[in-house]
Structures are given as C-alpha cells and as structure tokens.
Amino acid sequence: MALSAQKIPRWFSTIKLSSFINATQLSKHVLRPGKTLHGSSAQPLMSSDNCLLHWGFKTYRTSSLRNSFQPTNSSSQENNSSRSALLPSVNEKSQKTQKIPNFDSELSLEELEDLPPLSPLQPISEEDAVQIIADPPLPPVSFTLRDYVDHSETLQKLILLGVDLSKIEKHPDAANLLLRLDFEKDIKKLLLFLKDVGIEDDQLGTFLTKNNAIFSEDLENLKTRVAYLQSKNFSKADIAQMVRNAPFLLSFSVERLDNRLGFFQKELELTVKKTRDLVVRLPRLLTGSLEPVKENMKVYRLQFGFKRNEIQHMITRIPKMLTANKRKLTETFDYVHNVMNIPHHIIVRFPQVFNTKLFRVKERHLFLTYLGRAQYDPAKPNYISLDKLVSIPDEVFCEEIAKASVQDFEKFLKTL
C-alpha cells in the first residue's frame, strides 16, 4: 500500500530515530562501564561501539537539521509535535553518548597538556602489560658490587677506567662509599687531581683499585701533602714516581711523611739528598712499617758485622735491603760469606747478591766448583765478580764465566 505524501516525512524520521535508539540500546548491552577481562578494562570494545553510537548521533542530528529548514505547514507542525514527544528521551540518549570520547576528533597541543596524568592504578590491557619491561629491583643486601652496576653510573664509569670492583668489594666501607658517591660531583675532581700529580690515564684504574681509601680523602688534604713534598725539593717527576709505586703515599698526613723522612736521615746518617733519593727509589719506606727496617739494621751491624758506612753504601745501592725478609738475608749472607768465603768488603761492593734468589747463587757456585773455576778473589787470576755471578743470564754465564755449554750446565743441575 502506497504511503501518502504527508506520511512519508513522519515515517522517514521515525526510522532514523528508531535506528539511533537501537544503537544506543545496543551499546548498553555491549559496553558496560567498569567491566574488566582478566583484570583489564574493556576499552578495546569501545572503538567499534563508539563508531556505531557516533553514526546514530549523526543520523539524529542530520534529520533534525533537515526538518528545521522545511517550510512551516500543518504537516510539519504535526511532525514537530510527534517528534517533541520523543525528543526528551532522545536528548537523554545523546547526552549519554557524548560522554564516550570521540576518537575521530583531534586534540590540540593545549588540550593534550591539560590532560591529567595517568594513574598508576589505572587498569591496562593484557597487550600493554606484556610489553612493559621493568628494571630488576635493587637487592637490599648484597656481598658484591656486581648487583648494583646496572643501576649506578659511578660504578659503570669506574669499570671503564679499569677499576677492579671485585677487589674493592672486599672492603665493605669502601664499597658502601662508592654506592653513595656521584661521579661528576665527587670522583671527577679526584681524577683530575691525580692526573695533575702524574698518574696516566691507563694507570688510574690500578691506582684506585689499590688505594680505594682515597675516595674518602678530602681533596684539599691531598693537595697539601703534594705541596709538602714539593717544599722538600722533590721534583714533579719524583712525586709522580713515588705516587705510582706507593699508591697509599697520599693517604698519609704531612706529619707522618715528615717524621719518616727525619727517621731515615737520622738513623742511617744520610745527607738530605741521599735521603730524598732513597725514598724516591723505594717510596714504600714512607708508607710501610718501620719494624722490619729497624730489625734489619740490627742484623747488618750486630749479626753480619758490617760497619755503619758499609751499610750506608749497600742500602743506597739496593734500598730493598731495608725491607727484605730477615731469614732470606741471613741465609744468603751465611752461604756467600761462609761457604763461598767472600769477605765483607767484596760483599759491600756487590750488594745485589742480597737481592738475588739464593738457589741461583748455589747452582752457579756449585757448577763453577765442579769445573774448578770458583775463584772470587780480585787479586788472583780468573777472578769472577759477584755481579756477573748473579746478574747475567744462563747462556752468557756458561759461555763467558764457566766456559761450558748450556747443555752441560743443565745436565749438572740434574745431578744435584
């Protein structure tokens, strides 16, 4: 049955309104606020539903605009009256649909800045959750610095410098201090100071590993100690050599350094220059214990029978004689003086015999005795000095001193 011309607008409008109402009702069943899936929000469903609701709202708005521009007549009034009965419910539906964000619109930068920050309690989808990469938590207690390297820029840069953290972590106080220090604020200025003293870039790691206590030192105190050494006429090269060979040197106060220098000058009766040369060659004399030094001085005078000037000559040639093991010194002197029959004045001329392994001296002396060439008196023919006996390699010793082949020497050693 054909519709009359007056009924067509009402029928068309009713269809559009019913479509919109059905769309909004469908959204109620599909999209339920607060409904989660495995603990996550149902937000992924909003995209398709929102398009449907948005289409329904546009349909209503379009029909309303078209009807507003139609000529006023009785049929339009009738349509308006019938539509007015539906408008309150339609307006209520449209207000609900406006609460759903419209993803088709674009937000300006100002609007983006005004958006509130995301709450840490806001639920997220499973897809977003599996993409989150969380840093491992810091251990509350650990016996190794390795657990903190990934979280500490200071430790990372110290490793690049060559610092051995495995050795520092054996000292809990130093390890805990490193975790609190900032590289730029606390450590960088220390590195610049050490480089100015004379520590090279490739030596910084070794230095800091050995003297990790320097991290707790005040920089002004370190500068004061360097200034003291300069006041005692130690050159910059001397100070650099001393600091490299004795990393703990800068950790001792000016009073201790001054007392040590005074002790060696007085105890050994050395001049200022010889005292300075002595500690430059063996700076551990300023940082180590004085007990071995005092004990060895008694051994040289009372047990070995050397005179004071003879001791001065030997220790200025071989400073390690002051800190050498007492038992090793005794065994070496007993063999050289009592077995090889070398007098004191010859030993004084070649004190490096105390800095040589005793088994080397024994092997070569026994081989020369076997060949009949063990002659150490400079006043007699075929004299062999202690210097050559202990310092030259086996090939040169066999060729120039023993006048034999290396194979003969090796065969002889097998018989011992």
Side-chain angles (χ1 to χ4, degrees), residues 144-416:
T144 175
L145 289 173
R146 180 176 52 190
D147 295 336
Y148 302 94
V149 171
D150 292 339
H151 308 273
S152 173
E153 180 186 6
T154 298
L155 296 182
Q156 294 171 9
K157 291 187 176 181
L158 288 177
I159 291 176
L160 293 178
L161 286 173
V163 177
D164 190 346
L165 298 182
S166 65
K167 294 183 179 180
I168 294 182
E169 66 191 19
K170 295 178 181 179
H171 308 277
D173 293 339
N176 290 330
L177 176 62
L178 283 184
L179 293 176
R180 298 193 301 267
L181 293 181
D182 181 84
F183 187 87
E184 294 294 329
K185 296 180 180 179
D186 305 316
I187 298 181
K188 188 175 182 179
K189 55 185 179 182
L190 173 63
L191 297 178
L192 294 176
F193 165 76
L194 293 176
K195 291 185 64 175
D196 185 64
V197 170
I199 306 297
E200 302 295 336
D201 291 345
D202 58 348
Q203 299 170 338
L204 287 172
T206 303
F207 179 89
L208 295 175
T209 300
K210 292 181 178 179
N211 185 12
N212 49 74
I214 200 170
F215 291 114
S216 61
E217 291 284 350
D218 183 77
L219 187 59
E220 294 302 320
N221 290 337
L222 297 177
K223 293 180 179 179
T224 301
R225 293 159 192 170
V226 173
Y228 166 78
L229 294 176
Q230 293 174 341
S231 69
K232 296 298 180 180
N233 294 326
F234 288 94
S235 65
K236 186 173 182 178
D238 292 338
I239 297 174
Q241 179 179 339
M242 294 167 66
V243 173
R244 285 195 297 266
N245 296 333
F248 288 95
L249 179 65
L250 296 179
S251 296
F252 292 102
S253 65
V254 171
E255 292 76 13
R256 177 183 175 116
L257 296 176
D258 188 69
N259 291 335
R260 287 298 180 91
L261 290 174
F263 168 82
F264 289 110
Q265 183 176 356
K266 179 180 179 181
E267 183 71 16
L268 304 177
E269 298 182 357
L270 299 175
T271 64
V272 174
K273 184 180 183 306
K274 287 186 177 182
T275 303
R276 184 167 55 244
D277 294 340
L278 178 69
V279 297
V280 169
R281 295 181 61 188
L282 190 65
R284 287 181 298 171
L285 293 174
L286 299 178
T287 61
S289 173
L290 290 179
E291 293 305 317
V293 175
K294 296 178 181 178
E295 187 66 23
N296 287 346
M297 291 295 294
K298 293 179 181 179
V299 169
Y300 294 136
R301 288 198 305 263
L302 304 178
Q303 187 172 340
F304 296 171
F306 289 105
K307 299 178 181 178
R308 183 173 292 274
N309 63 330
E310 293 176 333
I311 298 175
Q312 291 176 348
H313 177 79
M314 289 190 295
I315 62 174
T316 54
R317 292 278 304 276
I318 310 294
K320 288 184 179 180
M321 289 180 61
L322 288 172
T323 58
N325 181 269
K326 176 183 175 181
R327 179 180 177 181
K328 179 180 180 299
L329 290 174
T330 303
E331 291 178 349
T332 300
F333 176 80
D334 180 68
Y335 190 84
V336 172
H337 181 65
N338 298 323
V339 176
M340 298 174 61
N341 296 318
I342 299 179
H344 284 75
H345 69 278
I346 295 182
I347 296 177
V348 171
R349 291 176 55 189
F350 305 104
Q352 53 267 36
V353 70
F354 290 106
N355 200 31
T356 306
K357 294 179 180 180
L358 182 57
F359 76 87
R360 176 187 290 268
V361 178
K362 289 182 177 181
E363 291 175 348
R364 295 186 175 186
H365 170 69
L366 292 175
F367 186 56
L368 292 176
T369 303
Y370 171 75
L371 297 175
R373 304 183 62 85
Q375 206 287 97
Y376 309 109
D377 188 351
K380 297 179 181 180
N382 300 321
Y383 163 70
I384 298 175
S385 69
L386 283 179
D387 183 26
K388 290 185 177 181
L389 180 70
V390 301
S391 61
I392 58 179
D394 288 343
E395 294 80 5
V396 180
F397 166 75
C398 292
E399 181 180 355
E400 297 183 2
I401 306 299
K403 307 298 181 180
S405 64
V406 178
Q407 291 76 11
D408 294 336
F409 182 49
E410 294 174 350
K411 289 179 181 179
F412 173 78
L413 296 179
K414 293 179 181 180
T415 63
L416 297 179

Side-chain angles (χ1 to χ4, degrees), residues 19-72:
S19 300
F20 171 71
I21 294 173
N22 291 334
T24 56
Q25 291 176 349
L26 180 62
S27 68
K28 286 186 176 182
H29 294 284
V30 176
L31 182 61
R32 297 179 182 178
K35 186 67 175 179
T36 59
L37 179 63
H38 300 294
S40 60
S41 173
Q43 188 174 356
L45 298 175
M46 291 177 60
S47 59
S48 60
D49 295 342
N50 183 54
C51 294
L52 180 61
L53 297 178
H54 186 59
W55 173 83
F57 180 73
K58 289 167 62 177
T59 303
Y60 163 73
R61 185 174 56 185
T62 305
S63 62
S64 300
L65 290 175
R66 288 180 179 176
N67 293 330
S68 64
F69 286 101
Q70 291 180 356
T72 306

